[in-house]
Amino acid sequence: MTSDPAAPTLSVIIPCYNEGENVQTLFGRLLPVLRGLGAAFEVICINDGSVDDTLDRLLEVQKTEPALRIIDLSRNFGKEKALSAGLFHSRGQAVVPMDADLQHPPEAIADMLAQWRDGWEVVFARRDARAGQGLSERLFAKGFYWVFDHLSDVRLPREVGDFRLMDRKVVDTINTMPERSRFMKGIFAWVGYRHTEIVYHQAERAAGVSKFNSLKLLRFAFDGLTSFSNFPLKVWGGIGAVISSLAFLYIVVRIIRTIVWGIDVPGYESTLVSVLFLGGMQLLTLGIIGDYLGRVFDEVKGRPLFIIRKLYESGEE
Ligand code: UDP
Ligand code: MG
């Protein structure tokens, strides 16, 4: 792909899920910025199974902007998969994923491109503050990063989302990764490469509501953790070893006591407590093994990451 003479310099990838009311505003701001860069560009919008008029609005824009390519997925696959679809189809020498709701200012792309031209392979865009987030969300994010840092070998940069610039070789590397569980923040960090950063101010969502509620975020966080760390799976070996050793010592103590002082009154409470405690722990462990097994099951099935209903390129019907 790198040798394609028609390849644009820059690809902007935008996953869109029910963003109909943002399409006009988005392109109204994005296109002037891109045209002012002095570089050939393409914009790839992934319609992630929207049930509103997102696709129609995108097609409307495409009539006047041939650089817009639209990937229409067959249903909602989620942002991470939509992003993967965009990365697979991007042709640019530099690739920038961004959100459709204008929380990521298009103007920052110029800064990122300048850094890339200086030779950086990845340019993070770091938020200067978390817009529109309450204390509980901030605490949740802090807790997540703390746990992630301690449990996995991958370092996630703070306050950096999917908005970033990646060189073609970084994107090519990501495209070779076959896993179905796509925690993109982790994948981006895992591939490494030389990176620098710029700072941007994250705005409020232009229109509509966030597609992520607390439960979805919690699942997302847990998913990210278990795709990048085996610790939750392995820790039980250690805990089991400690408990078995203690149990063994206790058995020795009981035997000696029985020999020396004779048979004691049966300890109903201690039996019940240990049975309940161990039973609970075994269920928890099983649950965690089940989670990883489910993940293996998903990978083994080897289904495609996403299904494209139709690819709309300019000039085609
Ligand atoms: N998105 C998507 N598929 C989904 C959910 C979200 O393509 O299933 C897109 C959405 O249209 C937006 C981006 O992902 O362009 C970020 O979503 P959102 O703004 O709702 O997330 P937040 O900014 O609240 O984290
Ligand atoms: Mg948003």
Side-chain angles (χ1 to χ4, degrees), residues 13 15 44-49 70-90 174-182 184 298 302-311:
I13 297 177
I44 303 179
C45 283
I46 303 95
N47 178 33
D48 187 16
I70 304 162
I71 300 176
D72 190 27
L73 298 184
S74 64
R75 62 170 170 85
N76 179 253
F77 280 88
K79 183 184 176 187
E80 311 293 301
K81 305 266 169 77
L83 212 53
S84 302
L87 291 178
F88 274 117
H89 284 84
S90 67
I174 292 172
N175 286 345
T176 61
M177 296 173 71
E179 61 237 66
R180 257 122 273 278
S181 136
R182 313 270 317 166
M184 292 313 273
D298 279 345
R303 292 195 180 150
L305 275 180
F306 48 81
I307 300 169
I308 296 177
R309 190 187 72 79
K310 189 165 173 176
L311 199 67

Side-chain angles (χ1 to χ4, degrees), residues 112-131:
M112 291 197 264
L113 207 64
Q115 298 289 336
W116 173 70
R117 285 185 168 136
D118 280 348
W120 295 101
E121 288 150 347
V122 177
V123 186
F124 299 142
R126 186 185 298 273
R127 300 181 269 263
D128 59 355
R130 288 190 157 240

